[in-house]
Amino acid sequence: MCRLICVLGCLPFVAASAQSPPQPPTLKTTTAAVLIDVTVLDRGGQTVADLGPADFELTEDGARQQILSVSFVNNGVPVPPASSAPPAEGLPAPAAGGSVASIEARPPVTDAGEPLSVTAILFDRLSPEGRRAAGPAAQAYVAGLLPGRDYAGVFFADLALRTFQPFTNDRERLRVAVDRLSQAVPANTTADAERLRGRHAPALDPNQPPTAGAESGTGFVSVGEREKYLDSLSRSERLLAEMELRMEQGHRQVLAEYGGEASLAGLRAVVDALGSLPGRKSIVYFVESLSITSRLKPRFDALIGTANRHNITIYAIDTAGLRVHSREMELGRNVGVAAAQGIGDSRRDDGPWTKELERQEQLLSSRPAAALGRLAKETGGFLLEDTNDLTARMERIQRERTSYYVLAYQPTKAALDGTFRKVSVKVKRPRVTVKARTGYLAVPPQQG
């Protein structure tokens, strides 16, 4: 929801004296206009549509900025922009040399002159239960698309990115594509589906839920039970049990890395493709988990930055719904084991402590509320989780995606130095929720 529009000024050559050697002309960036898309909701979740420039307060890196114009887009149709607010008393003036006329809040238009918006409906690898939940929700989203103005495509991020329906405004084609994708069988690379299910690992591995499947008996219960189980084994059995556990953990790590790599590759391909189109774009991402290992974290951060530069909003839909075995409880069991090992109350391998720290970091960063929540929030969307009724929530995505404000301002810090600028938007009205991107990278548009 952040866009940079650069205005370039050319400084003419001025000779210091007749004897001085001529100097080449210098090209400098004198200003950058920034457009921020902002959604404002009342307590009932409905869009607030009667705000003007005086109702907003915007800061960049903590410094208040002068808002030059505010316009409202309602159901995908731009409303004539509100008149620019006069400079507020005490606010710094924008950088010299800018052109307010260059700032426009206009989405791209179709051949018929109607505003155009684009959504990529992206399915990650889902379990059969996840596909059953995602299919009706995606159909509900397709049914809510605005005829003629909304374009969407249907894609599947498996080991390769598969196109089930190229971008179209034909809702019937989209509906058929969603039906076909809902029945597609993904590559089975999830760590939960591919457990080794050995004899000893369930009772020793804190990633194993307490109520495991009948094929492996009971699962992990507590640190104390884990130690009691180890004490019941002979020395040779204990060595074999620890070896089995290392196999299980190594297998999970490889699958987590592989699955996270495939998910990020699919997301990045969609983000890069949408980035070539001007205006506001969206990704509706149906996913059950997003594994972000320490090696993948820089790529995850870069993905969020690229989405922000290209004005792409991501709505993450956790299709697992209300989980029987909570990821938070799994994390708690792992932290309990790590704490007991740290004070000597539990046995640990002879390997380096850094291996355990990396595993804990991966667990923390891969929780749905962490990885998917960050992906959605930092791109201006939201995470839909902990519900078995996804269909009822699709209307909220459509409403937020098509009804929003566009704020234009010229930063007082004009240099495009590649740094991240933190942006905060507030509304001078009680009991409203304001949603906007958290900032942008100050780089020229051609580098985005």
Side-chain angles (χ1 to χ4, degrees):
M1 298 179 191
C2 296
R3 283 161 280 174
L4 287 175
I5 301 177
C6 294
V7 183
L8 299 180
C10 193
L11 300 182
F13 158 68
V14 179
S17 65
Q19 292 77 25
S20 300
Q23 301 294 322
T26 303
L27 186 68
K28 294 184 177 179
T29 299
T30 58
T31 188
V34 180
L35 302 180
I36 301 286
D37 297 349
V38 181
T39 301
V40 185
L41 306 175
D42 61 20
R43 297 181 67 180
Q46 301 300 312
T47 302
V48 178
D50 60 345
L51 301 175
D55 294 310
F56 291 91
E57 180 179 300
L58 188 148
T59 62
E60 181 178 292
D61 287 341
R64 286 187 62 188
Q65 305 292 313
Q66 177 187 339
I67 298 175
L68 302 175
S69 69
V70 173
S71 61
F72 182 60
V73 177
N74 185 31
N75 288 328
V77 179
V79 176
S83 59
S84 297
E89 184 177 354
L91 285 184
S99 174
V100 176
S102 69
I103 302 176
E104 296 181 296
R106 294 182 183 175
V109 296
T110 64
D111 293 338
E114 296 291 342
L116 169 67
S117 64
V118 177
T119 300
I121 302 173
L122 179 62
F123 282 64
D124 200 87
R125 298 173 310 283
L126 303 176
S127 66
E129 295 79 10
R131 293 198 299 276
R132 283 195 290 270
Q139 293 289 13
Y141 183 82
V142 167
L145 294 175
L146 300 174
R149 290 196 295 268
D150 276 342
Y151 282 70
V154 181
F155 307 92
F156 184 23
D158 200 353
L159 300 184
L161 183 65
R162 299 162 59 186
T163 300
F164 276 69
Q165 174 58 55
F167 289 104
T168 179
N169 60 357
D170 187 329
R171 288 188 290 185
E172 179 59 22
R173 289 186 178 182
L174 292 169
R175 185 191 66 78
V176 171
V178 169
D179 275 344
R180 288 194 297 114
L181 196 154
S182 300
Q183 299 170 19
V185 179
N188 195 351
T189 60
T190 62
D192 288 335
E194 293 294 329
R195 290 185 185 276
L196 292 180
R197 310 286 186 185
R199 174 186 173 190
H200 301 290
L204 300 177
D205 185 4
N207 293 294
Q208 178 71 47
T211 53
E215 70 276 12
S216 59
T218 186
F220 182 90
V221 177
S222 66
V223 176
E225 291 296 324
R226 182 179 191 268
E227 293 305 300
K228 187 182 298 184
Y229 182 84
L230 285 171
D231 289 337
S232 69
L233 302 177
S234 66
R235 182 177 183 278
S236 59
E237 286 180 320
R238 186 181 303 121
L239 291 174
L240 292 174
E242 291 170 349
M243 180 186 67
E244 181 184 307
L245 180 59
R246 285 193 295 272
M247 289 173 59
E248 172 78 16
Q249 292 175 340
H251 189 233
R252 288 174 58 85
Q253 177 65 25
V254 170
L255 289 180
E257 190 88 27
Y258 194 54
E261 188 98 32
S263 295
L264 287 183
L267 273 169
R268 185 59 190 253
V270 175
V271 166
D272 287 345
L274 289 176
S276 62
L277 185 72
R280 203 179 200 216
K281 289 87 62 175
S282 305
I283 298 175
V284 179
Y285 185 36
F286 292 96
V287 60
E288 284 178 325
S289 65
L290 183 59
S291 181
I292 303 301
T293 63
S294 57
R295 189 179 69 84
L296 295 178
K297 190 175 184 301
R299 293 176 57 184
F300 183 60
D301 296 340
L303 172 71
I304 292 175
T306 302
N308 281 326
R309 286 198 299 276
H310 292 324
N311 198 35
I312 299 170
T313 301
I314 300 176
Y315 299 96
I317 316 298
D318 181 5
T319 62
L322 297 172
R323 289 178 169 86
V324 176
H325 301 300
S326 168
R327 293 289 187 183
E328 303 297 329
M329 294 299 294
E330 179 180 332
L331 177 64
R333 294 192 297 271
N334 276 273
V335 171
V337 170
Q341 290 174 338
I343 61 176
D345 287 347
S346 179
R347 300 170 179 84
R348 64 175 297 272
D349 290 340
D350 295 331
W353 281 98
T354 53
K355 180 180 178 181
E356 292 297 321
L357 293 174
E358 289 176 1
R359 191 163 64 88
Q360 301 301 326
E361 180 187 8
Q362 177 186 330
L363 286 167
L364 283 168
S365 62
S366 297
R367 293 174 303 143
L372 295 177
R374 185 182 166 211
L375 179 68
K377 182 178 180 180
E378 294 191 13
T379 59
F382 59 83
L383 168 62
L384 180 55
E385 62 173 342
D386 291 336
T387 178
N388 292 330
D389 187 9
L390 298 176
T391 302
R393 309 294 181 91
M394 291 298 104
E395 188 270 338
R396 177 187 171 189
I397 296 178
Q398 180 70 359
R399 181 173 63 250
E400 292 193 16
R401 188 181 63 83
T402 59
S403 298
Y404 55 94
Y405 291 89
V406 181
L407 277 57
Y409 75 99
Q410 182 185 331
T412 53
K413 185 178 180 181
L416 301 180
D417 53 7
T419 60
F420 180 80
R421 308 288 175 80
K422 185 177 181 180
V423 176
S424 175
V425 180
K426 297 181 180 179
V427 171
K428 302 172 185 177
R429 183 175 294 187
R431 296 184 294 277
V432 298
T433 300
V434 181
K435 300 183 63 178
R437 296 188 191 275
T438 57
Y440 67 96
L441 285 175
V443 296
Q446 61 269 23
Q447 296 182 16

